Structures are given as C-alpha cells and as structure tokens.
C-alpha cells in the first residue's frame, strides 16, 4: 500500500508541478490493499526494566530506549538529535525535522538529562548510528531478553499510552506526540479509556 501511494504521488507531482500533463498514473486505477492493522503492543513493568537493564552494555541503544519510553519520540526524531537541540537550563528538547514537518518542544526527563550532561558536545550529534544499525541492535537485545513481538516503535506507543494513564489530556499528549489530528491518537485511546473508567469508578 505504501509503495503504491508513493508511486501515485510521484506521478501526481510530475503532472501537477512539473507540467508533464501527458503522463498517465500507472497505479491510478488500482484498488489499494487495506492498510495494516494498528498495533497495540504494551510493555509490562518487568519488560521495561529488562530492556533498560540489559541495554546498558550498549550506551547508544540504552539511550535511544530511554528517549523512546520517556518522551514518546519517533525513532527518526531521536537519531537526528543534536546536543544543540537540548536546553538543560529549561529542561527541554527541541524536536526538528519531524514526520509532519512541524518542530515541537517536549520536556527532558531527569534520567535523560543525567545520561547526556557528561557527554555534552555543542553542535555534535547525540547518536552516531544509522536507523538500520539501531534496529539491528534492538533485535539482538529482544532476542537476548526473550521478548516476543516487540518492535522499537512499540516503545513510542507505550510512552504515549502511559501519558494518558498519568492523567494527561488528549490535547496535551497530542502536543508531545506531534500528531496532526486527535484522530491519529485514537489508537492509544484504550489507555485513555482505562483512566476514564478509573475516574468513573471513583
């Protein structure tokens, strides 16, 4: 589905922006396959502690996992971070070059600040590893920890769900996550509903 959308977008751009009106979109008449079902993999506390503990031997992996679990940032956003994007005085992180094109500011947790302060080097990237390299290291970690059906992106899902469970509102989580619409956040609503049920019961 994503490949077909990409091809279609290329031909639409060529026709509409480059003036190549004679081009025919080769996938214009193709019925798109259904999108993949959204994942709802959550981590329990034991799994979280295992990931954090076992990753300490690989500092960049340990740091990336902490970023994902504590800030809800996307993998690409984490890997593109520079030390210059950190404001230690105000305990904030400037997230640039995001998926939706808008910069955003999110809080820096104490754990992340503790890990980064000793290594601070202005105008240097925090991570010096590719996305495929991080994925490979994460898969090795998952295998060593004997965890099933866990992807790095699930850590972002876990973070956003935990934000709801901590009592943050939809607009507040949307501000942290970088989603353009509330509808895009609804995949995490099961965690939000848990908090609602708790409040109703009380």
């Amino acid at each position: 589905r994503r490949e077909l959308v990409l091809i279609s977008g290329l031909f639409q751009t060529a026709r509409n922006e480059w003036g190549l009106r004679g081009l025919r979109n080769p996938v214009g008449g193709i019925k798109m396959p259904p999108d993949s079902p959204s994942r709802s993999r959550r981590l329990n506390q034991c799994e979280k502690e295992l990931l954090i503990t076992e990753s300490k031997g690989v500092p960049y992996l340990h740091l990336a996992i902490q970023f994902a679990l504590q800030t809800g940032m996307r993998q690409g956003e984490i890997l593109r971070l520079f030390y210059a994007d950190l404001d230690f005085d105000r305990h904030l992180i400037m997230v640039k070059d995001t998926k939706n094109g808008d910069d955003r500011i999110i809080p820096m947790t104490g754990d992340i600040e503790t890990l980064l302060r000793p290594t601070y080097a202005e105008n240097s990237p925090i991570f010096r590893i590719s996305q495929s390299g991080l994925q490979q290291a994460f898969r090795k970690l998952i295998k060593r920890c004997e965890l099933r059906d866990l992807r790095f992106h699930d850590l972002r899902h876990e973070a956003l769900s935990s934000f709801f469970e901590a009592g943050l509102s939809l607009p507040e989580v949307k501000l942290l996550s970088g989603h353009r619409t509330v509808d895009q956040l609804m995949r995490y609503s099961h965690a939000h509903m848990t908090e609602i049920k708790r409040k109703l019961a009380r």
Side-chain angles (χ1 to χ4, degrees):
R1 179 183 178 90
R2 290 180 179 178
E3 290 168 348
L4 290 173
V5 169
L6 176 59
I7 294 171
S8 180
L10 289 171
F11 276 82
Q12 286 295 102
T13 299
R15 285 172 54 85
N16 299 336
E17 298 186 20
W18 303 342
L20 303 178
R21 302 293 180 185
L23 283 181
R24 182 182 66 85
N25 189 338
V27 299
I30 296 178
K31 181 181 179 181
M32 291 289 180
D35 206 353
S36 301
S38 59
R39 289 174 59 82
S40 57
R41 174 71 158 90
R42 294 291 308 271
L43 285 80
N44 58 44
Q45 189 59 35
C46 289
E47 289 177 323
K48 286 183 186 179
E49 292 176 0
L50 185 61
L51 280 179
I52 292 171
T53 301
E54 291 297 318
S55 64
K56 286 182 178 179
V58 187
Y60 68 84
L61 178 61
H62 178 69
L63 182 58
I65 288 172
Q66 292 280 37
F67 261 105
L69 284 174
Q70 296 189 32
T71 70
M73 291 172 62
R74 298 179 179 92
Q75 182 180 175
E77 295 170 344
I78 293 171
L79 294 179
R80 286 191 293 269
L81 281 173
F82 278 72
Y83 284 100
D85 299 326
L86 309 177
D87 186 336
F88 286 108
D89 293 331
R90 295 189 297 166
H91 313 289
L92 297 174
I93 303 170
M94 171 65 76
V95 186
K96 302 175 182 177
D97 193 18
T98 66
K99 183 177 180 179
N100 65 21
D102 297 329
D103 294 346
R104 69 182 188 277
I105 298 175
I106 59 177
M108 188 190 328
T109 65
D111 289 340
I112 290 176
E113 185 171 338
T114 299
L115 289 169
L116 289 177
R117 268 193 181 276
T119 60
Y120 182 83
E122 192 173 359
N123 298 324
S124 295
I126 295 175
F127 295 91
R128 299 180 182 273
I129 186 171
S130 66
Q131 188 164 325
S132 61
L134 179 62
Q135 288 282 6
Q136 184 178 10
F138 187 73
R139 284 194 294 268
K140 288 181 179 178
L141 174 65
I142 296 306
K143 186 176 181 180
R144 189 167 71 250
C145 294
E146 298 182 350
L147 298 177
R148 295 183 179 181
D149 188 33
L150 184 64
R151 305 173 186 174
F152 191 88
H153 189 74
D154 294 331
L155 306 186
R156 168 175 161 85
H157 183 111
E158 175 63 31
L160 300 185
S161 297
S162 66
F163 292 161
F164 281 124
E165 291 170 347
L168 272 66
S169 66
L170 270 169
E172 288 169 337
V173 177
K174 180 174 172 290
L175 191 65
L176 293 173
S177 71
H179 286 95
R180 280 191 178 275
T181 67
V182 170
D183 289 344
Q184 293 173 319
L185 266 179
M186 291 313 293
R187 72 182 64 183
Y188 310 103
S189 63
H190 64 279
H192 197 207
M193 292 308 298
T194 300
E195 179 66 15
I196 290 174
K197 286 192 293 183
R198 187 182 67 80
K199 289 179 178 179
L200 286 173
R202 189 172 66 236

